[in-house]
Amino acid sequence: MKVLEVENLKKSLGKREIIKNISFSIEEGEIFGFLGPNGAGKTTTIRMLVGLIHPNEGSIKICGYDLKKDTEKALKEVGAVVENPELYKYLTGRENLMQIARIRKIPKKSVEETIKLVGLENRIDDKVRKYSLGMKQRLGLAASLLSNPKLLILDEPTNGLDPSGILDFREVVKKAAKEKGMAVFISSHILSEVQHLCDRVAFINHGTIKSVENVVNDSMKTDTDIICLNLTKEIDLNLLKNIEYIKSVRKSEDGIEIILLSNTTPKLIKYLVDNNFEIEEIYKIRKGLEQRYMELVEGGIR
């Protein structure tokens, strides 16, 4: 089932077109990444998804409800964590959640289940002012999960977290998506984090989605491969630069770094052997999402 459907979305501020006819959808239980540089249109898109601003054209449907026509029904299915969540620091974690539960008429049993889901059982009765940033992020996530939303929107959720906090947060999000069957939309600048967390990724730049691609086994299909080559003798790099399927060649600390068309490494090895190059070592440098990001968003590998 499609939890989120975005079709032909456009948004202008004054004469400047911020979002230019973007479309994508997210399935139940899927974690969907939204990647792009500053000013690409990520925040504007998120603000439209949560109903803070309205598009000039296009539609947003959440669980089949049109966000413009059935705003209340659509937003009832949404939970969101936008950067650092607002919490009452003088209350305990449990008291914060119970405040929300009372307003939304959520049973205490659901509160306890959510506390367990985000792994805060041992610290839930401490004052929030004693929480680390990672614990505050967990509590914010718990608050967004209380109403059992079908769509969870996370905007830069790991900002300021240390590596341990990022790993913990990742596992909580994966668990929530799997156990509750939620669709998760996550916008982040941390490429490696998106690669490890997401099932699919949309690349956006200048208000346009360049591509929507699958992440398989923490890696992605790329247009080019990057290999490192070490030879026993120095050579003129122009001999390699003139090969048609090679994009670029440069010397690095590890050897000769070559960017070539995807799946042409065997051809290069044959060429080297046939022309009596003495190969000491050759291996592929796997950059996955980082490499694909540079291809689509930055226009090439730096």
Side-chain angles (χ1 to χ4, degrees):
M1 181 184 109
K2 284 185 171 64
V3 174
L4 175 64
E5 296 174 84
V6 174
E7 292 186 6
N8 304 319
L9 212 60
K10 293 183 181 180
K11 181 63 181 177
S12 298
L13 295 177
K15 293 183 178 179
R16 190 160 65 99
E17 195 174 21
I18 306 297
I19 300 298
K20 305 170 185 176
N21 200 39
I22 68 171
S23 299
F24 61 90
S25 63
I26 309 178
E27 299 282 341
E28 191 176 53
E30 181 181 32
I31 303 177
F32 185 89
F34 203 55
L35 279 179
N38 289 334
K42 300 191 302 299
T43 300
T44 301
T45 301
I46 288 172
R47 293 180 72 194
M48 287 190 283
L49 293 181
V50 297
L52 291 176
I53 58 175
H54 301 293
N56 297 110
E57 293 182 34
S59 67
I60 299 169
K61 289 182 180 178
I62 300 169
C63 295
Y65 297 114
D66 188 290
L67 184 57
K68 187 176 181 180
K69 297 175 183 176
D70 296 302
T71 305
E72 189 175 339
K73 288 180 179 178
L75 290 180
K76 190 177 179 181
E77 305 292 346
V78 179
V81 179
V82 181
E83 293 193 1
N84 298 326
E86 293 295 323
L87 303 163
Y88 295 109
K89 295 179 182 178
Y90 60 89
L91 297 178
T92 67
R94 189 187 302 278
E95 288 167 343
N96 268 275
L97 296 180
M98 289 306 298
Q99 289 272 28
I100 298 167
R102 278 191 288 269
I103 293 169
R104 298 182 183 175
K105 298 179 181 178
I106 295 167
K108 189 176 179 181
K109 182 183 176 183
S110 296
V111 176
E112 297 302 323
E113 287 174 353
T114 305
I115 291 168
K116 187 176 180 180
L117 179 68
V118 301
L120 275 178
E121 306 101 302
N122 296 331
R123 298 291 302 276
I124 195 65
D125 292 310
D126 291 354
K127 302 286 188 186
V128 171
R129 64 170 175 264
K130 296 180 180 178
Y131 280 15
S132 65
L133 181 56
M135 291 169 63
K136 289 176 183 174
Q137 291 287 63
R138 286 191 188 210
L139 187 61
L141 182 59
S144 69
L145 294 174
L146 276 180
S147 57
N148 200 26
K150 279 296 184 183
L151 174 64
L152 179 63
I153 296 174
L154 305 173
D155 184 19
E156 301 292 347
T158 55
N159 263 3
L161 296 186
D162 60 22
S164 177
I166 290 173
L167 286 172
D168 289 344
F169 195 84
R170 181 198 305 168
E171 291 310 309
V172 170
V173 172
K174 281 184 173 181
K175 190 177 179 183
K178 184 177 180 181
E179 291 188 5
K180 291 181 173 286
M182 285 186 307
V184 181
F185 176 97
I186 179 167
S187 170
S188 177
H189 283 91
I190 304 174
L191 299 183
S192 60
E193 181 55 26
V194 171
Q195 182 166 317
H196 291 307
L197 185 60
C198 296
D199 302 304
R200 283 193 303 144
V201 177
F203 298 87
I204 184 170
N205 199 16
H206 303 303
T208 302
I209 289 181
K210 302 297 183 183
S211 182
V212 178
E213 303 189 8
N214 294 320
V215 180
V216 181
N217 297 324
D218 288 346
S219 192
M220 304 194 75
K221 182 180 178 182
T222 57
D223 292 336
T224 58
D225 291 330
I226 305 175
I227 67 165
C228 187
L229 172 67
N230 282 292
L231 302 171
T232 57
K233 296 179 182 178
E234 289 283 328
I235 64 161
D236 181 359
L237 295 186
N238 288 319
L239 293 172
L240 298 175
K241 289 178 181 176
N242 292 330
I243 298 174
E244 60 180 5
Y245 49 82
I246 288 180
K247 295 289 186 181
S248 70
V249 180
R250 72 179 183 93
K251 280 191 176 181
S252 69
E253 292 179 1
D254 299 317
I256 302 170
E257 191 174 286
I258 302 171
I259 300 173
L260 68 171
L261 294 178
S262 183
N263 300 319
T264 58
T265 301
K267 288 176 67 175
L268 175 62
I269 294 172
K270 186 176 186 304
Y271 170 85
L272 295 171
V273 172
D274 289 346
N275 288 274
N276 299 317
F277 288 89
E278 296 180 11
I279 303 170
E280 183 176 329
E281 183 182 34
I282 185 168
Y283 59 91
K284 187 176 288 188
I285 303 171
R286 298 187 184 276
K287 293 190 177 180
L289 185 62
E290 178 185 351
Q291 183 181 335
R292 192 65 180 137
Y293 178 88
M294 296 303 295
E295 288 174 359
L296 289 166
V297 175
E298 299 293 346
I301 307 294
R302 286 177 183 165

